[in-house]
Amino acid sequence: MNFELIIFLVMVVSFVIGTLVLKLPVSISMVIASIIGAAVGGYGFPIRHLVEGTFGYIDTILVIATAMIFMRVIQSSGALDALSAVIIEKFHKKPRMLLCFIMFIIMFPGMITGSSTAAVLSTGSMMAPILLVMGIPKVETASIIAMGAMLGMIAPPVNVPAMIIGGGVDIPYVGFELPLLLLTIPLAIVIVLFFGYKYVKNMDIELIRKNLHYELREKHGIKIYAPIFAALLLMILNKAVPAIPDVGMPFVFVIASLVGLVTGEKVNILKTAKSAINDVLPVIGILMGVGMFIQIMTLTGVRGFIVTTALDLPDVMKYIAMAISIPLFGAVSAYGSASVLGVPFLLSFMRHNTIITTAAISLIASLGDLMPPTALAGIFAAQVVGMDGYVPVLKKCIIPAIWIIIWALLIIVFSNTLAPLLIF
């Protein structure tokens, strides 16, 4: 047996034991697996590589931290509640369109934080009572929230798995917007209609109005939406006017958060920022653990072994192996799956457009947040709607998960054809 394969198996087994048997956090299990892998590989305790690995995704960590603060600011200021109220009021007579807008609201926190958990616990929990009042059963409601959160994690502007994969092969996170929109928006529309439309044909808008907050919009007027407009404007300004220096995503979210402090309800910024960072610490810890894990894989030659193995697979087997292995490995971490397996598979598809292929692989990696035992999106979505178990949600989401894999593979196959239309 290849020595690099032995090291990889030891690292994976150590990680699984730490997570499932010892019930340690995913991040701590990755640190332990990295230390054991380095020792088995003959490198002892390589402190430089361990520390260097934890800072491998510092840019992504800054984006997530500042985006989560922004998310909490617009939630505390009432901007999200006001936005939900106006959308439901405008489109309640068009249930298909209303469902689509609710889906986009659920996706929104994931889009700006790159975290499905953030989407489930913020707008997912806000939209759950409304979906239930509309007549959608608990299982379907939880499925909508879980799938919306996962697709939000992949939709632009912030896609952490794509950043991780791109970072592994030195691809800047530029030009991903349209490919990611093509990958996520059609699926979001089809999935929410698949789960919810048959239940909302004859909904009672008066019952829904009781759960909405119209007073915020009346009290603050259109200025309550200012932080959202500010974030969107700053994000597109550099694209529209290249002469303006790109200030970076973290600074965009800082500026938009400051705007939110003076445009709605009073926000205690210190308390809000502390709460936001506490909520996102597990995700940051996972990214630091993933960085260390990948650093040790590179040091011991395991990463090169996985790359060469992926490159040696026949074309058809590459698609099958990717469709199966990335979601399964994502059961322990969607981010880890993107880094450990996403990078090798991207390298094996280098004859396809790199940006579109990276985006498609990140979509497949998102399914890790649906896979047990971690299943962050699915478990939290079940809790939000008051379900005792997560298994019914998993069963409901199997068909949409298959759609996601098929759609991603099709996008990869036709990536060279799509590239002139999607990348500028």
Side-chain angles (χ1 to χ4, degrees), residues 116-131:
S116 64
T117 305
V120 173
L121 296 180
S122 54
T123 52
S125 61
M126 291 165 51
M127 291 295 104
I130 294 174
L131 290 170

Side-chain angles (χ1 to χ4, degrees), residues 1 11 21 44 54 61 65 101 117 139 152 166 186 213 215 229 260 268 282 317 323 333 362 393 397:
M1 184 180 290
M11 293 178 71
V21 179
T54 61
I61 288 171
F101 273 109
T117 305
V139 177
H213 299 278
E215 68 279 1
F229 293 146
N268 184 327
M317 285 303 299
S333 168
S362 75
V393 179
C397 291

Side-chain angles (χ1 to χ4, degrees), residues 179-212:
L180 291 174
L181 286 174
L182 175 64
L183 282 161
T184 55
I185 299 303
L187 284 171
I189 294 171
V190 171
I191 289 171
V192 74
L193 294 179
F194 171 73
F195 281 128
Y197 179 64
K198 62 183 176 183
Y199 300 106
V200 301
K201 294 178 181 178
N202 301 305
M203 64 180 178
D204 188 346
I205 186 60
E206 295 304 323
L207 289 175
I208 300 175
R209 283 195 175 107
K210 296 178 182 178
N211 292 278
L212 301 178

Side-chain angles (χ1 to χ4, degrees), residues 31-324:
V31 171
I32 293 172
S34 302
I35 294 172
I36 293 174
V40 172
Y43 291 92
F45 188 79
I47 185 66
R48 181 179 73 82
H49 289 281
L50 295 173
V51 173
E52 186 177 319
T54 61
F55 289 91
Y57 298 110
I58 188 65
D59 293 342
T60 304
I61 288 171
L62 287 174
V63 171
I64 293 174
T66 54
M68 194 64 183
I69 293 173
F70 170 69
M71 186 68 242
R72 284 287 181 262
V73 167
I74 63 174
Q75 192 173 2
S76 300
S77 71
L80 277 183
D81 284 334
L83 182 64
S84 303
V86 72
I87 287 175
I88 292 172
E89 186 64 30
K90 294 291 184 182
F91 297 102
H92 70 271
K93 293 181 180 179
K94 301 176 181 179
R96 288 190 184 91
M97 194 171 291
L98 176 58
L99 279 175
C100 292
F101 273 109
I102 288 176
M103 188 65 156
F104 297 149
I105 291 173
I106 293 170
M107 292 170 63
F108 180 69
M111 294 168 68
I112 64 171
T113 64
S115 168
S116 64
T117 305
V120 173
L121 296 180
S122 54
T123 52
S125 61
M126 291 165 51
M127 291 295 104
I130 294 174
L131 290 170
L132 292 171
V133 170
M134 289 168 66
I136 301 175
K138 284 186 176 181
V139 177
E140 281 76 9
T141 295
S143 300
I144 290 172
I145 293 172
M147 299 304 296
M150 288 163 47
L151 291 173
M153 177 176 73
I154 301 304
V158 179
N159 179 324
V160 176
M163 291 179 180
I164 292 173
I165 297 170
V169 292
D170 293 327
I171 299 174
Y173 188 68
V174 176
F176 282 85
E177 291 82 359
L178 290 181
L180 291 174
L181 286 174
L182 175 64
L183 282 161
T184 55
I185 299 303
L187 284 171
I189 294 171
V190 171
I191 289 171
V192 74
L193 294 179
F194 171 73
F195 281 128
Y197 179 64
K198 62 183 176 183
Y199 300 106
V200 301
K201 294 178 181 178
N202 301 305
M203 64 180 178
D204 188 346
I205 186 60
E206 295 304 323
L207 289 175
I208 300 175
R209 283 195 175 107
K210 296 178 182 178
N211 292 278
L212 301 178
H213 299 278
Y214 296 101
E215 68 279 1
L216 293 171
R217 185 181 57 185
E218 295 170 358
K219 179 180 178 181
H220 300 286
I222 194 172
K223 72 175 184 177
I224 197 170
Y225 307 114
I228 299 175
F229 293 146
L232 293 175
L233 177 63
L234 290 171
M235 286 176 190
I236 66 175
L237 193 59
N238 182 247
K239 301 292 183 183
V241 188
I244 298 177
D246 187 355
V247 296
M249 291 293 292
F251 191 66
V252 166
F253 289 127
V254 169
I255 295 298
S257 299
L258 293 176
V259 172
L261 299 180
V262 296
T263 55
E265 296 292 290
K266 186 176 180 180
V267 179
N268 184 327
I269 185 58
L270 292 179
K271 183 178 179 181
T272 300
K274 182 180 178 180
S275 173
I277 296 302
N278 282 337
D279 288 342
V280 84
L281 271 180
V283 176
I284 293 175
I286 289 173
L287 281 175
M288 296 179 77
V290 167
M292 186 182 293
F293 197 89
I294 298 306
Q295 182 80 6
I296 298 303
M297 285 180 62
T298 304
L299 175 67
T300 57
V302 171
R303 190 173 184 179
F305 168 74
I306 295 176
V307 170
T308 55
T309 301
L311 289 171
D312 289 339
L313 288 172
D315 285 347
V316 175
M317 285 303 299
K318 287 178 186 177
Y319 290 105
I320 296 174
M322 183 170 62
I324 296 173

